[in-house]
Amino acid sequence: MREQEGRLVASLAQQGISRRTFMKYCATLASMMALPPSAGIAMAEAMASSRRPSVIWLPFQECTGCTESITRSHSPTLEGLIFDAISLDYQETLMAAAGHQAEEALEKAIEDNKGKFVLIIDGSVATGLDGAYSCIAGRSNLELLKKVAPHAAAIVAMGSCAAYGGIPKANPNPTAAVSVSDIIKDKPIVNIPGCPPIPVVMTGVLAHFLTFGSLPELDKLGRPKAFYGETIHDRCYRRPFYDQGKFAKTFDDDGARNGWCLFELGCKGPITYNACATVKWNGGTSWPVESGHGCLGCSEPDFWDGGGFYKALSMPANPLKLAAGAAVAGAAAGVAISFANRAKKGAAKAAHETTTLADLEK
Amino acid sequence: MGLESIPVVTQSASDGLTGNAAAVLREIAARLESLAKEGQSGIIDLGAMPLSPADKAWLADKLGQGEVEINLELDGPSHVRETRYAGVWWLLHHNPQGAVTGEFIEITRIPELVLAHPADIISGSESLNFLIDDLC
């Protein structure tokens, strides 16, 4: 029995983490994933006894924010548990090896674990100029993805860039960036969007894979339903104020001080599916709306091009009479608005006026 | 300047009873009956349903206080409390920062978390024997 338990429980014990601490972690993880409460015990048993699966993590066009989110989560020992349960064979930012040694580690991990490893991608895939915009060790991200993906058991697209193209794909998308699922069509892909994503979503997906040998249930955009099943708005603690019609009108009025709904200040909570409202950030300390700022909608496709962050969702947004609603600000409109804004900036400069945020959002 | 100097007073819009606590109480009763008759344990995740602070207070009041209270230090405090009804336990987990990370009602003879794991008992027995060997 003890041999079966593998390295996890032993390595946890070395770090001073008891089995009960691990069971507690699994119980809360199962609760967050909306699994039956008994699944926490199953998870603890399965993860403690499972063979450590190989994980290859490839960073593409990204800012390392996703890696920061995972590795600097508030309880490093507990999120680190999952990294003890896996064998992270290649991760350029975290691995000690560099250069040829690192590339050899990648080749070896693929060879040793063909068809069995989990491939994590963060960052979008540049396709312009045959992918030349983003290269590692002389190979484009596009080439590397096409080489590694066929041998993976499953792919996790970490962050909005890997899931939907993210900020690199924002207009005018100079590198012709696309998402992982735009390139790879024949592998199970889990999208974990967010800029960055919530650490526990990542560990939850890996825990599910380790426990049940399968990926959790996904929605139509490939996101785990347990974390992306409801909108920020539906689970927001300020929701009752929305229902009562109590809105903050500016960031420093009485409404804002009383913690009223931020809808009119541009909160994208109603159209954003994510778990921030329940899981929160920084070890459950707070989250954007609790700190007084509306949701940017960072886990939704093309959030960067979805209109101004401070424009209310249902307010018409066509001061330039371009018939462009907040949600349908197309490429042409975007360019026109930027020209108009530039003109406005120039005019303001000439007249020695201060250009405010509100001017640019008009 | 600390946060306390910013005059923000957050109103709570859901202080009242929602009626959900009564439903939870009935589920506890049903599971306790099944524990009595079939020996079937059960867990209810209080975080999985919308309960206002008033709902939780109501539920805590109805379930009352039993004889056993266990405090565990598991990377943040955890608290296991027997209610007035034998076999019904209230579990509350916190993280090291003090935020509640999980709240469960467990209907069982003794919560799984408290039990010593068989593998840990074997390794404990071995360690103790090593210790005794070293004494000689």
Side-chain angles (χ1 to χ4, degrees), chain A residues 190-334:
Chain A
V190 190
N191 284 332
I192 304 184
C195 192
I198 300 175
V200 75
V201 180
M202 170 82 213
T203 49
V205 168
L206 286 176
H208 195 284
F209 187 76
L210 286 164
T211 308
F212 306 109
S214 63
L215 296 171
E217 199 187 349
L218 307 176
D219 71 2
K220 64 182 195 305
L221 290 173
R223 306 177 287 200
K225 274 189 181 170
F227 295 105
Y228 298 90
E230 288 170 289
T231 62
I232 296 285
H233 187 57
D234 283 342
R235 298 303 297 268
C236 182
Y237 75 102
R238 297 194 188 208
R239 172 65 190 261
F241 294 115
Y242 175 89
D243 296 335
Q244 294 164 14
K246 290 177 175 170
F247 299 102
K249 308 281 182 189
T250 69
F251 285 107
D252 59 355
D253 67 0
D254 283 345
R257 289 193 181 89
N258 285 326
W260 289 357
C261 178
L262 299 166
F263 180 84
E264 292 190 6
L265 290 170
C267 181
K268 302 295 180 285
I271 56 160
T272 304
Y273 290 82
N274 206 339
C276 304
T278 46
V279 177
K280 299 193 187 181
W281 283 87
N282 297 327
T285 305
S286 184
W287 61 293
V289 170
E290 195 171 340
S291 68
H293 194 285
C295 165
L296 301 182
C298 77
S299 58
E300 289 299 311
D302 302 326
F303 80 100
W304 203 259
D305 293 323
F309 289 151
Y310 301 98
K311 269 190 196 110
L313 281 170
S314 58
M315 268 158 55
N318 59 347
L320 302 168
K321 300 189 172 52
L322 279 165
V328 288

Side-chain angles (χ1 to χ4, degrees), chain B residues 38-129:
Chain B
E38 296 138 41
Q40 178 73 42
S41 301
I43 313 180
I44 300 167
D45 181 356
L46 292 182
M49 53 198 80
L51 293 173
S52 68
D55 286 333
K56 280 196 187 150
W58 184 87
L59 195 60
D61 178 56
K62 293 288 171 273
L63 290 175
Q65 175 72 41
E67 295 168 326
V68 185
E69 244 185 297
I70 304 166
N71 289 313
L72 303 103
E73 187 49 52
L74 308 170
D75 194 45
S78 287
H79 187 231
V80 176
R81 184 169 62 81
E82 191 192 32
T83 67
R84 191 186 300 143
Y85 307 96
V88 181
W89 304 81
W90 192 305
L91 279 73
L92 188 60
H93 298 307
H94 294 89
N95 67 10
Q97 289 76 45
V100 173
T101 57
E103 199 164 12
F104 302 88
I105 300 281
E106 206 166 329
I107 297 101
T108 181
R109 292 190 66 193
I110 183 108
E112 191 87 19
L113 190 65
V114 178
L115 286 170
H117 194 278
D120 291 344
I121 296 174
I122 294 171
S123 98
S125 160
E126 281 174 6
S127 311
L128 193 57
N129 284 330

Side-chain angles (χ1 to χ4, degrees), chain A residues 164-189:
Chain A
Y164 309 131
I167 293 172
K169 189 187 167 222
N171 288 325
N173 192 1
T175 65
V178 297
S179 69
V180 172
S181 57
D182 285 332
I183 307 283
I184 304 299
K185 302 288 184 191
D186 56 354
K187 286 282 167 189
I189 299 177

